[in-house]
Amino acid sequence: MRRVLCPVENLYVAQRSRAVLSCALDGPVDTAALSAAFEAVTAEQPTLLARVVPDGDGHALELLPETEQPRLRIRTGGEEDYAKELNRPLTVGGPLTRAVLVSDPDEERHTLVLTVDHVITDGHSAIALLNTLWDRYRERIGGAPALSPPAAGLPGPISRLLPQVDEAETAKFLEARVEEAGRHPVELVEYDVRTPGEASGSIEVQRLLLDTETTSRLRQRARAEGLSVHGLIGAALLLAARRRLDGTGSRILRCMSPVDLRSRLSPPVPADVMVAAVTAHFQDLAVAEDTDVLELARQVAGGLRDFFDRGDHFEAMRIMPMVPQHPTLHLGTVIVTNMGAVSGPRLPTGTHVTDVRLVPAREHYFPQAGRSPLMACVASFDGRLAIEFPHHTACFSRPFMRELRDEVLAALCALADSDEERHLAATA
């Protein structure tokens, strides 16, 4: 079984990026049942049994030999193992997914880490994969037969499902994007670390986690203002980025918002189909240190709404193959992904999920570049809003990213109209 990658998917091959999902558990885990559940899920989704191979000037997906197909790995360890998995790339030419269960010596606390190559996933499908895995586990613990449907074949790329359009319109859209990007060269935050190379650093994550009450109050504030939570978070991060640039007055900053295409196609593509189904919206905004956060949030939310109303989300995916010729098109001062409100895994009675995380990572970081976008990965699992700030320590230091996180936390708590007690209840 083999499928040639489309031009958009070929871009992800070079990026060597991946989604890293994890869930922390308390209680017993039947490792044999979990291993069988993982094999069932990969049988249902043949993309998870594939590898990337060269194909002419591009690449293709090709099924792995049975002896090389991914299996659940089980080992004893502690919290430090999460960082190890976050920093462990997927093997070039090998499986596009990896599943590791790390249990403490007493086997009462566990962390499952799923790593999936961005060539075959986006945030929504990665979350669906995690939840489906635990659904299959729960079925096996409950006595359901360990049967999986036969593989239906590798799903086609999202780019082939876009509505038909005149190529001249796409050319005009690209021309306008290039002109706009040239009019306002993107401002990037300068690294605070000076190192000779990547060997001296690692991927780390500063995390902002709100409790359910603060999350609810933030949503209420967004609704009351006619805004989205995404707009509020984007504004808070833009203002934090502006404070880290020199000079006074307004600066033109660019906000990049990756957007889901699955629900906007006809017919919609289910979240559990393992393909990358995202494009991105870019918006240039004038930001000063004292810009009103609500006004900035209105601009962020309004720009994204207009983007969809015009149908530009489809054009944005059509021009993605041209990005290598115009690399500044996909640069932003800040990058704010947002999975929205999602449910976490459901486990059998006696075992409890204590935390769920989704963090993007990639193989290559470039300290020598001197600056880069600031990234925030947003998801609300079971009513708790979490923002992950991944960074490489050869670029941005831990104190730098902690301070950034704390500024965004303070801004969101203020927007939630939290008093001092609620502010302290919001954990980071």
Side-chain angles (χ1 to χ4, degrees), residues 93-395:
L96 300 175
T97 185
R98 181 174 62 236
V100 179
L101 180 71
V102 181
S103 303
D104 69 10
D106 296 329
E107 297 187 350
E108 284 299 317
R109 293 183 179 177
H110 317 266
T111 301
L112 176 72
V113 185
L114 276 177
T115 304
V116 190
D117 197 300
H118 193 21
V119 172
I120 62 166
T121 196
D122 50 31
H124 290 284
S125 58
I127 293 169
L129 172 63
L130 177 68
N131 289 346
T132 301
L133 172 58
W134 287 110
D135 287 344
R136 298 295 173 267
Y137 172 79
R138 194 177 65 253
E139 292 165 3
R140 278 155 179 73
I141 292 296
L147 300 176
S148 299
L154 296 167
I158 291 296
S159 60
R160 294 180 186 167
L161 303 179
L162 301 180
Q164 293 296 315
V165 70
D166 187 340
E167 292 184 4
E169 291 299 315
T170 301
K172 286 173 58 178
F173 182 83
L174 174 62
E175 183 181 356
R177 283 283 294 114
V178 171
E179 191 276 331
E180 181 183 19
R183 188 166 61 247
H184 298 298
V186 65
E187 298 266 12
L188 299 177
V189 175
E190 187 174 346
Y191 296 147
D192 72 316
V193 175
R194 298 290 182 270
T195 59
E198 295 184 20
S200 59
S202 62
I203 304 170
E204 295 191 2
V205 187
Q206 295 298 326
R207 192 184 194 204
L208 184 162
L209 180 64
L210 301 183
D211 59 24
T212 55
E213 182 182 355
T214 308
T215 300
S216 177
R217 290 171 65 89
L218 185 65
R219 287 177 180 162
Q220 292 170 8
R221 179 65 183 276
R223 285 194 296 268
E225 298 287 347
L227 296 169
S228 64
V229 172
H230 178 79
L232 295 178
I233 295 171
L237 186 57
L238 282 164
L239 284 164
R242 174 63 190 91
R243 296 183 190 108
R244 284 153 181 79
L245 298 173
D246 56 13
T248 59
S250 294
R251 301 279 284 275
I252 302 298
L253 307 187
R254 185 171 300 157
C255 181
M256 173 184 175
S257 300
V259 296
D260 169 53
L261 291 181
R262 294 171 184 268
S263 60
R264 296 177 172 89
L265 293 166
S266 182
V269 176
D272 60 0
V273 176
M274 298 301 297
V275 291
V278 294
T279 186
H281 171 247
F282 295 84
Q283 186 176 8
D284 292 342
L285 304 119
V287 184
E289 292 188 16
D290 59 352
T291 295
D292 179 73
V293 65
L294 287 175
E295 177 56 33
L296 189 56
R298 288 189 182 92
Q299 294 179 48
V300 173
L304 190 55
R305 183 173 56 251
D306 293 344
F307 177 72
F308 290 125
D309 289 345
R310 293 190 302 266
D312 286 354
H313 48 296
F314 294 134
E315 291 288 24
M317 173 163 269
R318 291 187 187 101
I319 70 168
M320 283 180 67
M322 281 73 102
V323 167
Q325 287 77 50
H326 308 280
T328 59
L329 287 184
H330 269 210
L331 273 181
T333 312
V334 301
I335 301 172
V336 186
T337 72
N338 198 332
M339 300 303 104
V342 293
S343 298
R346 296 171 55 213
L347 271 69
T349 302
T351 306
H352 308 281
V353 176
T354 59
D355 198 9
V356 184
R357 302 182 69 172
L358 170 60
V359 177
R362 64 180 190 266
E363 186 170 341
H364 301 298
Y365 291 79
F366 301 96
Q368 62 272 25
R371 60 194 66 217
S372 75
L374 296 171
M375 185 171 194
C377 181
V378 185
S380 296
F381 286 102
D382 296 324
R384 302 177 73 193
L385 186 143
I387 307 178
E388 310 278 1
F389 298 95
H391 65 104
H392 198 278
T393 57
C395 303

